[in-house]
């Protein structure tokens, strides 16, 4: 008896430290789907079977095949015959470490240890994956938290979406990524320790190289001020030509793409002329911006969801933002969507991105509704969150469509998302790399 009791006690002690037990993946999975949007942007297929081998899609067959077919004896069957199945969604702009926002997020920066933020990032990664987003691009945090999370997820130590990571974002001193904004001068040495601020071309080259040295996938910079920056410096251009050019040339030297935070049209033009890959927010696009988008082939990432975050926080607490920030928040609430309404008819390439962190994690799909309200068809919005975002992230061969050779990242929803994008707000089934993460069928 004593021996049994002891072994129970030991098991209880050891259990929390063991890796999450995961059943070995069956070699062949058959996903029977009533409708399949195998390539968003094109019409859906009717009844089909997605054949998955070792976590990758082997083929998408018309009609239903099952384990009773001799060719698939021993395969595991997943019945989604009454659902719409589509590729796992891609959010091109998140910040997994937090979604408190406003004054609270600034407090968090000086109150929470990197370890505490890392647990928050993991919890937010779960929310994101649960919402059907199997790939995200994390556009900036401190302390290397999502870089470490990216590695832990890749290694199978924890479960979460694929992460494409920018490390710490780069701006000038006093720019959007200056962590000392709004704090006492004598705290600068304590807060400004990430080497992500650069003034002058050489300093900007070094800032990029420091991120490359950390193993980032993409470089994120800010050419204009930010809504949440605690200075009244506005939302126009804040970098010189030679600084942006130095950043772009250095990133290209290492084969890295460049994502640019920019609100004012002057900062958008500066970045597009230098040859960057995406403009995030792009709140005041003019005709010249649209022309530069078309010429360069860069993507526009509208991040309309930020407005949801602002409105919810202000409703809960009218003092959620410092006065100088609140003025910019009110402006952004008024104007958001105008640029997208110009960009869509102008033929600008759009990639889905929420800026979750400003808005709530796990609510990423709210962006679809806002995109449709601002000029996109449901089909275009879905294409932006799959094919286009995958292309922007450099993962066009891996995710974004359900085709032979790609990762078996897929979701199922209850209704036709091409008729009503709000069905994407409630995703009952999520599979990543052939493993089921969420299955609420029948519940
Ligand atoms: Zn952002």
């Amino acid at each position: 008896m004593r021996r049994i009791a002891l072994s129970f006690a030991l098991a209880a002690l050891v259990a929390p430290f063991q890796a999450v037990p995961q059943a070995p993946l069956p070699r062949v999975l058959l996903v029977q789907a009533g409708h399949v949007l195998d390539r968003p942007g094109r019409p859906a297929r009717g009844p089909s079977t997605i054949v998955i081998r070792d976590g990758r899609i082997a083929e998408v067959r018309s009609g239903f095949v099952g384990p009773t077919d001799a060719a698939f004896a021993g395969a595991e069957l997943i019945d989604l015959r009454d659902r719409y199945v589509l590729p796992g969604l891609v959010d091109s702009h998140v910040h997994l470490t937090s979604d408190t926002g406003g004054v609270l997020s600034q407090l968090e920066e000086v109150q929470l240890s990197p370890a505490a933020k890392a647990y928050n990032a993991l919890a937010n990664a779960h929310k994101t994956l649960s919402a059907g987003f199997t790939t995200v691009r994390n556009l900036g945090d401190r302390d290397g938290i999502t870089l470490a999370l990216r590695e832990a997820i890749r290694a199978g130590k924890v479960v979460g979406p694929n992460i494409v990571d920018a490390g710490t974002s780069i701006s000038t001193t006093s720019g959007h990524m200056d962590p000392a904004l709004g704090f006492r001068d004598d705290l600068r040495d304590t807060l400004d320790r990430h080497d992500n601020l650069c003034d002058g071309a050489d300093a900007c080259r070094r800032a990029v190289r420091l991120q490359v040295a950390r193993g980032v996938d993409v470089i994120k910079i800010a050419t204009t001020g930010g809504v949440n920056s605690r200075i009244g410096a506005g939302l126009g251009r804040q970098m010189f030509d030679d600084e942006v050019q130095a950043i772009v040339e250095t990133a290209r030297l290492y084969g890295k793409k460049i994502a640019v935070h920019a609100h004012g049209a002057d900062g958008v033009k500066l970045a597009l002329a230098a040859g960057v890959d995406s403009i995030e927010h792009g709140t005041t696009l003019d005709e010249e911006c649209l022309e530069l988008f078309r010429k360069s082939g860069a993507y526009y990432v509208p991040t309309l969801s930020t407005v949801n975050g602002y409105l919810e926080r202000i409703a809960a607490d009218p003092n959620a933002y410092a006065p100088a920030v609140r003025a910019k928040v009110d402006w952004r609430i008024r104007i958001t969507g105008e640029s997208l309404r110009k960009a869509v008819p102008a033929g600008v390439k759009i990639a889905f991105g929420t800026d979750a962190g400003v808005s709530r994690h796990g609510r990423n799909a709210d962006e679809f509704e806002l995109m449709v309200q601002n000029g996109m068809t449901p089909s275009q919005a879905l294409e932006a969150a799959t094919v286009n975002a995958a292309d922007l992230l450099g993962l066009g061969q891996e995710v974004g469509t359900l085709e032979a050779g790609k990762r078996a990242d897929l979701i199922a929803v209850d209704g036709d998302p091409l008729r009503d994008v709000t069905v994407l707000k409630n995703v009952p089934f999520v599979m990543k790399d052939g493993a089921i993460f969420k299955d609420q069928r029948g519940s």
Side-chain angles (χ1 to χ4, degrees):
M1 278 302 284
R2 272 182 61 194
R3 183 171 288 179
I4 292 170
L6 183 64
S7 66
F8 273 128
L10 273 176
L13 269 175
V14 170
F17 303 105
Q18 287 174 338
V20 183
Q22 290 189 331
L25 291 178
R27 210 174 75 79
V28 181
L29 285 174
L30 300 171
V31 178
Q32 296 180 344
H35 305 265
V36 182
L37 276 80
D38 54 334
R39 193 190 189 291
R42 294 188 194 157
R45 296 167 63 122
S48 307
T49 306
I50 302 160
V51 182
I52 296 165
R53 290 183 200 276
D54 300 325
R56 293 214 174 235
I57 296 165
E59 60 176 314
V60 182
R61 289 194 164 204
S62 294
F64 297 138
V65 294
T68 50
D69 294 79
F72 297 108
E76 185 180 322
L77 178 66
I78 297 169
D79 180 356
L80 296 169
R81 283 180 292 182
D82 56 349
R83 312 283 163 136
Y84 284 74
V85 172
L86 58 155
L89 302 169
V90 182
D91 192 331
S92 312
H93 191 141
V94 301
H95 304 274
L96 289 174
T97 40
S98 170
D99 60 5
T100 47
V103 174
L104 282 179
S105 73
Q106 197 182 26
L107 268 179
E108 211 174 57
E109 277 301 313
V110 291
Q111 288 180 326
L112 290 190
S113 66
K117 290 186 209 165
Y119 281 107
N120 288 343
L122 179 58
N124 291 332
H126 283 168
K127 286 182 192 173
T128 306
L129 185 55
S130 190
F133 288 78
T134 50
T135 301
V136 299
R137 187 172 63 159
N138 201 82
L139 287 184
D141 67 357
R142 301 181 185 281
D143 308 304
I145 288 166
T146 46
L147 280 168
L149 182 58
R150 177 192 74 184
E151 294 308 303
I153 291 169
R154 278 186 191 165
K157 294 175 186 168
V158 296
V159 179
N162 308 307
I163 296 177
V164 171
D165 201 272
T168 303
S169 306
I170 295 168
S171 81
T172 57
T173 301
S174 87
H176 187 41
M177 283 79 183
D178 185 338
L181 294 183
F183 289 103
R184 286 164 25 192
D185 288 347
D186 57 311
L187 291 176
R188 175 167 287 281
D189 287 346
T190 307
L191 297 169
D192 176 13
R193 60 189 168 79
H194 295 281
D195 293 320
N196 66 313
L197 303 183
C198 67
D199 307 300
D202 282 345
C204 287
R205 289 190 185 95
R206 176 173 161 76
V208 172
R209 286 187 163 118
L210 285 170
Q211 294 309 317
V212 171
R214 303 170 84 195
V216 304
D217 303 296
V218 56
I219 299 295
K220 162 83 179 294
I221 67 168
T223 58
T224 75
V227 171
N228 292 291
S229 302
R230 289 198 58 164
I231 52 168
L235 294 161
R237 170 176 172 164
Q238 294 185 352
M239 267 189 181
F240 293 113
D241 285 359
D242 65 336
E243 291 170 329
V244 176
Q245 283 158 9
I247 285 169
V248 172
E249 283 170 14
T250 311
R252 294 287 183 235
L253 190 61
Y254 299 96
K256 304 297 180 193
K257 292 193 175 195
I258 305 108
V260 180
H261 159 108
H263 288 287
D266 49 1
V268 172
K269 288 170 204 172
L270 172 70
L272 289 175
V276 305
D277 298 280
S278 68
I279 298 292
E280 314 293 314
H281 322 306
T283 311
T284 56
L285 300 183
D286 62 16
E287 277 305 317
E288 203 183 333
C289 293
L290 301 176
E291 186 55 33
L292 279 167
F293 267 113
R294 281 193 299 259
K295 264 195 207 156
S296 69
Y299 278 97
Y300 174 42
V301 182
T303 69
L304 309 176
S305 297
T306 49
V307 167
N308 290 343
Y310 297 139
L311 290 171
E312 287 167 16
R313 265 183 222 108
I314 291 167
D317 175 8
N319 298 313
Y321 294 92
V325 174
R326 177 64 189 268
K328 291 184 280 183
V329 164
D330 289 343
W331 168 81
R332 175 102 161 113
I333 291 170
R334 276 198 310 277
I335 199 170
T336 294
E338 279 185 17
S339 284
L340 184 59
R341 291 198 293 275
K342 292 180 197 167
V344 173
V348 174
K349 286 157 57 178
I350 315 284
F352 182 105
T354 58
D355 210 355
V358 178
S359 53
R360 297 284 180 205
H361 292 290
R363 298 257 305 277
N364 313 61
D366 290 0
E367 183 84 9
F368 286 109
E369 196 174 18
L370 298 170
M371 291 172 112
V372 169
Q373 284 169 4
N374 287 286
M376 297 184 81
T377 64
S379 180
Q380 286 173 326
L382 271 171
E383 190 176 18
T386 52
V387 179
N388 290 4
D391 181 44
L392 170 59
L393 271 55
L395 293 175
Q397 301 301 313
E398 289 285 302
V399 300
T401 63
L402 299 176
E403 290 179 274
K406 292 204 175 176
R407 294 185 200 171
D409 294 353
L410 59 86
I411 65 171
V413 289
D414 285 330
D416 183 355
L418 295 178
R419 284 179 190 274
D420 177 9
V421 287
T422 63
V423 300
L424 296 158
K425 291 186 184 190
N426 185 7
V427 176
F429 183 90
V430 179
M431 173 184 283
K432 178 173 172 261
D433 294 316
I436 296 172
F437 175 71
K438 179 182 186 184
D439 188 355
Q440 295 181 340
R441 285 175 293 160
S443 66

